[in-house]
Amino acid sequence: MNICSCNREGRCAEMAMVCLTDFEEYAKEHLSKATWDYYAAGADECCTRDDNVLAYKRIRLRPRILRDVSVCDTRTTVQGTEISFPVGIAPTAFHCLAWPEGELATARATEALNTCYIASTYSTCSVEEIVAAAPRGFRWFQLYVYRDRKLSEHIVHRVEGLGYKALVLTVDVPYTGKRRNDIRNQFKLPPHLKVKNFDGIFQPATAGPEEYGIPANTLDPSISWQDIYWLQSITRLPIIIKGILTEEDAELAVQHGVQGIIVSNHGGRQLDGGPATIDAIAEIVDTVQGRIEVYMDGGIRTGSDVLKALALGAKCVFIGRPAIWGLAYKGEEGVREVLQILNDEFRLSMALSGCRNVDEINRSLIQCSKL
């Protein structure tokens, strides 16, 4: 796709960005190959990454008519906080690779749209800088558990003190998945960027080999359900588990007292061959039975995708790569455009399906027999 077309004076006139794939094509054209490959990477053959998107196309809607959709209300709540529509920003690393202001621009965009931003442990701006950039923003923090538990404990206390509203514990990375292009490209953060939340903690002279900006073998592969109790003992923040794909683990999550689940396969970047998240969510929602909130990420590209996810029981969805594409296009303004397009498309899909508010979205809207 050509993003600009030349007029008679030879100047380029900007073309309208109509849908999320416009931003994707722009980002692919303008980011360096290594950066694009990093963001686009899936594990192994990328089957799960690709199926995250394709699975939505297998789901059909059952629209209702003559329902007076002159007013459609997209507002919802997550963990008791109202947001303007049920789409937030998933935790994604290294935003400064896509735009110089990085996570600061992302935080401002989500503040402006009044939705939830999950800041990544692997941010290229610190948790303090993110708060300063968008002081009224609604934020959660995505957490990993490290072999040195004091590292995890220290950052939990930092974000709790800064007013982050929940911890999103990522549980599907005992080891990093095999992302072939990152290996081929020998991907590393450029020297001017750092994982800012650990700035000064890891000393280069003693750190040894790095993996995605921090020393290799720092993540703790021994993490287990017992660590949920440890985390509960050091914080009062709600704990949301990200990376659940089965009813068995959903039940264990409820039993261990967490406040939410994000159905996620890490954007297809970890285990290849697992289910698309939209195909996994129904069994998890059925298992949880409303005891805790269920969210999901992976493959959201249109407003009708959001509608389908909510119809299958998601309380809110989170986007990862599309936010990066927006950043690459125009920083804060680009992320705002991506979110606004999804908001507008979601509202239109609601109206055309006969839903006047999110409470009217339910499984009767889906042709379950076709799944």
Side-chain angles (χ1 to χ4, degrees):
M1 170 181 170
N2 294 320
I3 294 301
C4 60
S5 58
C6 292
N7 59 23
R8 291 180 180 178
E9 288 75 32
R11 294 191 297 269
C12 285
E14 223 176 62
M15 291 177 64
M17 305 297 272
V18 175
C19 58
L20 267 58
T21 53
D22 290 347
F23 292 87
E24 179 181 17
E25 291 177 17
Y26 180 94
K28 186 173 184 178
E29 182 179 342
H30 288 81
L31 293 173
S32 72
K33 181 181 184 303
T35 296
W36 170 260
D37 284 350
Y38 167 73
Y39 289 133
D44 299 311
E45 296 179 299
C46 300
C47 296
T48 297
R49 179 201 67 181
D50 295 344
D51 202 37
N52 271 353
V53 175
L54 294 172
Y56 285 93
K57 303 182 190 307
R58 299 193 291 265
I59 298 172
R60 294 291 177 265
L61 295 167
R62 300 178 64 250
R64 300 295 305 278
I65 60 170
L66 299 175
R67 296 286 292 268
D68 183 6
V69 289
S70 54
V71 177
C72 285
D73 186 355
T74 62
R75 292 174 298 171
T76 190
T77 60
V78 287
Q79 298 297 316
T81 296
E82 184 178 280
I83 54 177
S84 61
F85 72 121
V87 178
I89 302 293
T92 46
F94 310 151
H95 289 196
C96 286
L97 283 175
W99 187 260
E101 286 190 308
E103 290 83 4
L104 308 186
T106 309
R108 292 188 190 110
T110 50
E111 180 186 66
L113 270 291
N114 187 28
T115 191
C116 182
Y117 169 36
I118 308 177
S120 171
T121 288
Y122 285 79
S123 294
T124 36
C125 300
S126 70
V127 288
E128 291 83 5
E129 290 169 330
I130 290 168
V131 170
R136 296 178 303 279
F138 175 45
R139 283 173 295 272
W140 295 348
F141 180 77
Q142 176 259 341
L143 178 73
Y144 289 103
V145 173
Y146 297 99
R147 293 175 189 267
D148 180 355
R149 295 301 170 90
K150 291 296 182 184
L151 285 178
S152 298
E153 189 171 342
H154 173 64
I155 199 163
V156 166
H157 291 154
R158 280 170 67 188
V159 300
E160 190 165 11
L162 287 164
Y164 288 73
K165 299 302 183 185
L167 295 176
V168 176
L169 179 65
T170 296
V171 294
D172 55 2
V173 192
Y175 302 96
T176 303
K178 183 178 180 181
R179 302 160 196 170
R180 296 175 183 178
N181 282 340
D182 284 352
I183 297 169
R184 293 185 180 109
N185 297 331
Q186 298 183 333
F187 175 81
K188 288 185 178 180
L189 274 180
H192 70 283
L193 295 180
K194 298 176 181 177
V195 180
K196 287 292 286 293
N197 290 320
F198 297 124
D199 194 12
I201 293 176
F202 300 117
Q203 300 304 317
T206 59
E210 284 194 357
E211 185 175 53
Y212 297 110
I214 67 171
N217 302 314
T218 303
L219 294 171
D220 189 351
S222 75
I223 184 173
S224 72
W225 286 105
Q226 293 305 307
D227 292 302
I228 303 300
Y229 297 134
W230 164 75
L231 193 56
Q232 290 166 337
S233 75
I234 65 170
T235 183
R236 295 180 180 179
L237 291 176
I239 296 169
I240 295 158
I241 292 187
K242 174 180 176 290
I244 284 180
L245 292 167
T246 64
E247 60 183 297
E248 295 91 340
D249 284 338
E251 182 58 41
L252 284 167
V254 174
Q255 290 176 10
H256 284 80
V258 305
Q259 282 72 42
I261 288 170
I262 300 180
V263 179
S264 175
N265 54 34
H266 217 97
R269 296 164 73 84
Q270 282 299 105
L271 175 67
D272 200 23
T277 50
I278 192 67
D279 288 340
I281 191 167
E283 72 173 70
I284 292 168
V285 168
D286 290 346
T287 299
V288 167
Q289 290 289 310
R291 290 174 288 174
I292 59 176
E293 293 184 349
V294 178
Y295 321 109
M296 64 162 290
D297 63 23
I300 297 286
R301 298 294 182 266
T302 68
S304 66
D305 292 344
V306 181
L307 183 65
K308 291 171 182 177
L310 266 63
L312 287 167
K315 180 73 168 171
C316 179
V317 303
F318 293 88
I319 58 169
R321 292 183 181 96
I324 297 297
W325 305 336
L327 274 178
Y329 173 62
K330 209 178 279 187
E332 176 189 344
E333 184 179 342
V335 179
R336 288 175 67 164
E337 286 189 41
V338 164
L339 288 169
Q340 190 61 58
I341 286 171
L342 279 176
N343 194 350
D344 293 343
E345 290 180 350
F346 174 59
R347 187 187 304 273
L348 180 60
S349 295
M350 281 178 60
L352 295 177
S353 298
C355 298
R356 293 160 291 200
N357 55 62
V358 295
D359 290 336
E360 293 187 345
I361 302 170
N362 57 54
R363 207 168 291 185
S364 69
L365 199 62
I366 294 291
Q367 290 184 354
C368 292
S369 63
K370 302 295 185 181
L371 293 180

